Structure formats: structure tokens, C-alpha cells
Amino acid sequence: MLKEHDAVKTDAVTSRGVLVSLSSEIVRWGICNMLERLDPPRPVEPHSEVATASEALRDGRYSLVIVDAADGEDVLLRLTEEAGRLGVKVLVLLDRADAATVERVAALPADGFLVQSDLTLECMSETLERLDRGDLPMPANLVRQLMARARNGAGRSFGAQIRLTPREQDVLHLMGEGMSNKQIARHFGISVHGVKRHVTNVLAKLNCPNRTQAVSIALKQGLMGHG
């Protein structure tokens, strides 16, 4: 196991590492241990000071940062925005997927979510694979909460300002359900490349850097109330 703030060992791994920025020592070391047990293992560096994690990201050693939704909304927002500017993906760890949690994290420009109680080695491996493919990994419980939020009419007053084609609307809806590009392609019987083009168009029209923020904006503007 790596010591706090030790340099990431890259002698056997050529990819950039994972910064595990969690204030809870138990959770932090548990996540690090899980990442080191993956096949292949990910180079990992634990970081206990969430407020200073943005500085750690700037040295270019990391492709992913894992944060805890419980560590404070303001701190997380600054960290996720900085990660987005640096091209570092953000995976948010949730203690539960209830309505209150959804309200707290919906605006975060994250690239994926994990629920701590559901976390297994297999789940972590699948989540990182989906992140690498550019998908939006999201637990089913969180998807249901987001869709319930949409059905309840969260923010419909701005929907007319954004013009999506019918296919883009359908793709956006499936993104909100947590489907990967491959799953969306299978659903419509089109190529993954075609799906990526639709996703790119949706992100551009919503002016969002990633799928999570696009879904959040769509929910707020009433673009996902039907499907």
C-alpha cells in the first residue's frame, strides 16, 4: 500500500494514476486497496486533504480523481471544475442514492457515480472501464431518483430555449437512464460512432463538458420529462 502523498509508482504502469481524495481514512484506504487489486492494477495515490486536491491534480500525473459527496458541496464543486479544466475525470462516491443526495450532487460536473454500499471489486472494474470508454457510469438507484425528479417536473421553464432533434432527445433520455454508448447503439440499431456523434451534438447544444452535467442541465430545463 502506498503511503500518504508518496509519488505514484509508474515503473510497471504507463498510464496516469488515480488520485483518491477522500477525507475518511477508512474509506480512502479501502478504495485504494480495491484499485490496487484490479487487473491490471491502477497506479494510486491517496490524498486526505480534499480542499487541496486541486493543487495535486495540476502536476499532470492523474487521469482520474475519486471524491466523496459527503466532503462538502463547495469544495467538491471547485475540485470538479478544476478537474474538468485539466482533463481529469471525476468519480463521485455516494453514501446512498436518495432524493436528498441527488439534489446535492446533480449540479456537479462529474463523469460518474458510485454508491459505497454497492461497491465491489467487479463494480469498480466495470465503472472504470465505462469511464475509459467515455460512458457515464451511474448506479441504477441513482438513475431512478433522477428520472423521478424529471417526472415530478423539475424546472420546465427553460425547455424551449434548447432545440434538440428527435434522435438527440431520445439519446439524451437514454443517457439519463445511465446507458453506455454501446447500449444506446444496440437500442436504436445504429453504430457506436453514430451514437457518439449524437452525444457530441447534445453536449454542444447544452454547452456541457460531460454527460453527467448534460443530464443535470436537461433535468433542470425540463428536457427529460418524457420518454
Side-chain angles (χ1 to χ4, degrees), residues 66-84:
I66 299 179
V67 297
D68 193 329
D71 282 337
E73 184 177 348
D74 291 341
V75 170
L76 290 179
L77 185 59
R78 289 194 297 271
L79 177 57
T80 52
E81 289 178 344
E82 180 67 13

Side-chain angles (χ1 to χ4, degrees), residues 74-197:
D74 291 341
V75 170
L76 290 179
L77 185 59
R78 289 194 297 271
L79 177 57
T80 52
E81 289 178 344
E82 180 67 13
R85 286 191 289 269
L86 296 170
V88 177
K89 293 186 177 181
V90 178
L91 187 59
V92 178
L93 184 66
L94 310 174
D95 56 352
R96 61 179 65 88
D98 56 14
T101 301
V102 170
E103 286 292 332
R104 191 168 72 251
V105 305
L108 289 176
D111 298 283
F113 297 90
L114 284 169
V115 175
Q116 186 174 328
S117 59
D118 298 335
L119 192 53
T120 63
L121 189 64
E122 181 180 2
C123 175
M124 176 66 80
S125 178
E126 180 182 351
T127 296
L128 295 184
E129 288 175 2
R130 291 188 62 185
L131 278 175
D132 290 342
R133 293 196 302 265
D135 296 338
L136 169 59
M138 186 181 296
N141 287 343
L142 184 57
V143 173
R144 286 193 287 270
Q145 289 289 343
L146 286 169
M147 299 311 296
R149 192 168 179 259
R151 287 193 297 271
N152 289 335
R156 288 189 177 140
S157 59
F158 303 102
Q161 297 178 6
I162 297 174
R163 304 296 184 186
L164 300 177
T165 68
R167 178 49 59 88
E168 289 168 355
Q169 180 73 52
D170 291 339
V171 168
L172 175 61
H173 186 83
L174 295 182
M175 286 166 57
E177 293 183 356
M179 282 196 182
S180 67
N181 287 350
K182 185 178 294 185
Q183 289 172 322
I184 296 174
R186 189 180 303 118
H187 179 87
F188 290 123
I190 61 178
S191 68
V192 174
H193 178 74
V195 173
K196 288 181 178 179
R197 185 173 65 251

